[in-house]
Amino acid sequence: MTALTIRPLAASDRAGWDPLWQGYLTFYKASIASDISNVTFARLTGGAEPMGGFVGERDGALIGLVHWVIHRSTWNSRDICYLQDLFTAPEARGTGAGRALIEAVRQMAQARGCFRVYWQTHESNAQAQALYDKVADKSGFIVYRQPLG
């Protein structure tokens, strides 16, 4: 097994990104129309939005992804970074890929002058929380959502 490479998500990664994105959606029992996935990928790779991603690559194959969104905050004059999606292929779990993807976002956000990186996970995702507890602090906040149609 060769070393893990973490690099920015590129437009040429679509074929490798799709199965990881679908794996992420399946994990969370979510379904998104293909036109939304198309818009999402274009936003992540187009360079015009305050968002992007990184991928983990090993032996020429993508084995993980992470997406991020930079936005303003009412709590600081500097921007904040939301780590929106993190997923590694099942065979890559426990190999350090998730930690490396989080670190890539942290370094990018720090370089952009953000004051914090934050993310959320489902309360049932114990495997991810075991990692998150090692690399970040739990905020104690509970997320509420109000669908708008």
Side-chain angles (χ1 to χ4, degrees):
M1 182 165 44
T2 60
L4 174 67
T5 300
I6 303 295
R7 60 173 177 76
L9 178 66
S12 60
D13 290 324
R14 183 63 193 257
W17 178 86
D18 274 332
L20 293 169
W21 178 239
Q22 290 306 312
Y24 178 78
L25 295 174
T26 299
F27 181 84
Y28 281 111
K29 298 175 178 69
S31 177
I32 293 179
S34 61
D35 61 321
I36 300 299
S37 290
N38 291 340
V39 168
T40 296
F41 189 79
R43 287 177 174 169
L44 292 168
T45 59
E49 303 280 345
M51 60 193 307
F54 292 97
V55 290
E57 186 174 24
R58 181 174 283 138
D59 296 327
L62 298 188
I63 53 92
L65 61 76
V66 65
H67 304 142
W68 51 264
V69 179
I70 304 289
H71 64 89
R72 304 251 189 241
S73 172
T74 60
W75 288 39
N76 199 294
S77 61
R78 293 163 40 205
D79 288 343
I80 189 168
C81 179
Y82 179 48
L83 188 158
Q84 188 160 13
D85 310 305
L86 174 65
F87 182 78
T88 58
E91 65 274 12
R93 295 186 188 142
T95 67
R99 181 186 296 257
L101 288 162
I102 292 169
E103 178 61 16
V105 172
R106 188 197 68 75
Q107 288 179 15
M108 175 279 304
Q110 186 171 36
R112 288 179 178 230
C114 294
F115 79 97
R116 179 184 300 148
V117 175
Y118 71 102
W119 63 92
Q120 59 186 337
T121 193
H122 195 272
E123 63 188 354
S124 65
N125 193 351
Q127 186 174 13
Q129 289 180 62
L131 169 60
Y132 301 161
D133 288 344
K134 294 174 186 168
V135 300
D137 299 320
K138 282 185 183 174
S139 68
F141 283 88
I142 298 169
V143 175
Y144 289 88
R145 298 188 294 191
Q146 194 175 53
L148 300 175

